[in-house]
Amino acid sequence: MSANRERVYRGGAARATVWQSVGMRDRRERRSHLTAPRVPTVGIDIGGTKVMAGVVDADGNILETLRTETPDKSKSPKVVEDTIVELVLDLSERHDVHAVGIGAAGWVDADRSRVLFAPHLAWRDEPLRDRLSERLLVPVMVDNDANTAAWAEWRFGAGRGEADLVMITLGTGIGGAILEDGHVKRGRFGVAGEFGHMQVVPGGHRCACGNRGCWEQYSSGNALVREAREMAAADSPVAYGINDRVGGSVRDITGPLITELAREGDPMCVELFQDIGQWLGVGIANLAAALDPSCFVIGGGVSAADDLLITPAREAFRRTLTGRGYRPEARIAKAELGPEAGMVGAADLARLVARRFRRANRRRVERYERYGRTLGRQAAQP
């Protein structure tokens, strides 16, 4: 196990039993969340810097979590897959694992089996579901991390009771997801919800996606830091507070620092959040015109600024909403589940593909024996 791993226990000890799947994977029954087995499952949230795994029960309670750094050799897909397997096997020693859900930062196909593209990992058309299913011997579900976070907020968080929900995740960029009547809308090719790359300013800031003027260039963590650094580098008189804090080292300006100073009342940092929030509200109004949900849930690291961000977003939303004054306004709420939302949602979605297995303690031994044989065959290959 990695020395960097952090283990967190929530609740009492759990009996260690691993279940072996039965039947054909292709004949898997798709269940709604109301009829899915009320069994514990594992959720995995994979990002560019960390991998977080947790056992989650049917009510969304986290029983245990493990965290480790994303492997340095992440250019090899197998290295990341080995890390996932290691985490699941570790959790399986103490919990009954019936299925595994993966929330990946990237594009996942409509069948939720392959990662088409992951910006921070070397996954390109990677058959992640099948490879992990073969190694873990339990059903595996793969989805985009914004989809899994939105599902968790709809089931257990800020979106409970909403029929139609849109989630916007503000981090380095902008991610998103759409839920309609209790179903994640993934689109024909599985890549719906990439709201951050809607063009809002023709010919605007260059985006990492290759286009110009994308929404995330004006309302995201990157946009917040870029603007603050530009003001500090120009030695603007309004940037004296943040320049004093970093001793003139512009590269030390980060999103959390800007948030901290804004909470302390620093005028420039407060104004930056107002700008980010206004762009957020404009984008939400555009999404309301296209999708007409009852609720927008705002998550991601930038949302930790709370009312510094949400208040100007609501104001801009009301000012720019088409048909304002003659239509109901969607509710705008801050996400409640924090950084664990993607993991919880992945675990809960995995229950939709979980099967009930015959309980037997000896299955744990068989599983490790089979895993050992697989590693032995791989080592023997030239």
Side-chain angles (χ1 to χ4, degrees):
M1 299 297 290
S2 168
N4 295 320
R5 182 169 305 157
E6 171 190 354
R7 177 174 292 134
V8 182
Y9 290 96
R10 300 188 182 183
R15 183 167 51 87
T17 307
V18 175
W19 308 87
Q20 185 167 358
S21 62
V22 294
M24 298 297 292
R25 185 165 55 247
D26 293 339
R27 299 178 64 183
R28 180 185 294 146
E29 178 185 1
R30 186 180 186 280
R31 302 176 175 90
S32 75
H33 70 280
L34 296 174
T35 58
R38 293 185 59 82
V39 295
T41 51
V42 169
I44 308 283
D45 186 13
I46 306 171
T49 60
K50 69 169 176 49
V51 181
M52 180 165 57
V55 180
V56 182
D57 69 15
D59 296 315
N61 300 309
I62 301 172
L63 306 180
E64 181 183 349
T65 61
L66 299 175
R67 294 178 178 89
T68 188
E69 294 178 355
T70 302
D72 293 336
K73 296 180 180 178
S74 59
K75 290 184 178 180
S76 168
K78 185 177 181 301
V79 174
V80 182
E81 291 164 13
D82 289 343
T83 301
I84 295 170
V85 170
E86 184 184 1
L87 290 170
V88 174
L89 289 178
D90 192 345
L91 292 168
S92 297
E93 292 180 349
R94 296 173 296 283
H95 302 273
D96 297 335
V97 175
H98 290 254
V100 175
I102 310 289
W107 290 359
V108 178
D109 70 356
D111 293 331
R112 287 176 286 168
S113 62
R114 308 176 75 88
V115 179
L116 303 176
F117 171 78
H120 304 296
L121 301 170
W123 284 336
R124 304 292 185 268
D125 199 27
E126 184 71 14
L128 187 62
R129 183 189 67 188
D130 292 344
R131 287 186 176 175
L132 290 176
S133 295
E134 291 172 0
R135 298 177 65 178
L136 294 172
L137 307 183
V138 293
V140 174
M141 184 281 310
V142 181
D143 209 338
N144 171 266
D145 58 348
N147 288 343
T148 62
W151 179 268
E153 292 290 343
W154 177 71
R155 288 272 285 131
F156 310 112
R160 283 171 294 183
E162 300 288 352
D164 297 280
L165 175 148
V166 169
M167 183 164 186
I168 299 165
T169 56
L170 299 178
T172 302
I174 295 180
I178 308 163
L179 269 80
E180 182 179 298
D181 293 329
H183 297 282
V184 178
K185 305 295 286 184
R186 298 180 175 84
R188 174 62 181 85
F189 305 107
V191 296
E194 291 294 334
F195 306 137
H197 299 290
M198 300 185 303
Q199 188 184 62
V200 295
V201 180
H205 290 295
R206 176 74 72 179
C207 182
C209 75
N211 293 329
R212 287 186 178 274
C214 292
W215 186 24
E216 68 176 38
Q217 292 303 308
Y218 300 88
S219 185
S220 67
N222 268 353
L224 184 70
V225 173
R226 181 192 68 230
E227 295 295 314
R229 287 180 175 178
E230 287 180 359
M231 296 290 282
D235 203 21
S236 169
V238 300
Y240 67 90
I242 201 165
N243 262 330
D244 285 348
R245 183 65 66 91
V246 299
S249 177
V250 174
R251 295 183 62 86
D252 291 337
I253 296 175
T254 63
L257 175 60
I258 299 168
T259 303
E260 178 185 343
L261 288 173
R263 285 176 174 158
E264 294 173 2
D266 181 88
M268 186 193 79
C269 294
V270 170
E271 184 176 337
L272 288 177
F273 269 108
Q274 289 175 343
D275 291 343
I276 296 294
Q278 287 171 7
W279 277 112
L280 176 60
V282 170
I284 292 174
N286 289 340
L287 291 172
L291 302 173
D292 192 30
S294 59
C295 177
F296 288 94
V297 175
I298 313 300
V302 181
S303 69
D306 299 321
D307 287 343
L308 289 167
L309 176 77
I310 302 296
T311 298
R314 287 179 176 140
E315 292 171 352
F317 171 70
R318 296 188 182 104
R319 285 198 310 269
T320 54
L321 180 65
T322 182
R324 51 193 174 276
Y326 297 94
R327 60 177 290 174
E329 290 183 6
R331 181 169 66 95
I332 299 176
K334 182 180 179 294
E336 295 179 358
L337 301 182
E340 295 171 330
M343 180 189 73
V344 171
D348 197 60
L349 283 166
R351 291 196 310 111
L352 304 182
V353 298
R355 302 189 210 101
R356 299 184 183 278
F357 306 123
R358 182 167 57 89
R359 300 192 175 192
N361 285 329
R362 63 185 175 83
R363 295 298 186 190
R364 177 173 61 85
V365 178
E366 293 176 1
R367 182 177 185 173
Y368 276 93
E369 288 177 349
R370 178 168 176 178
Y371 181 56
R373 290 195 298 270
T374 300
L375 291 178
R377 287 196 299 269
Q378 292 174 349
Q381 292 176 354

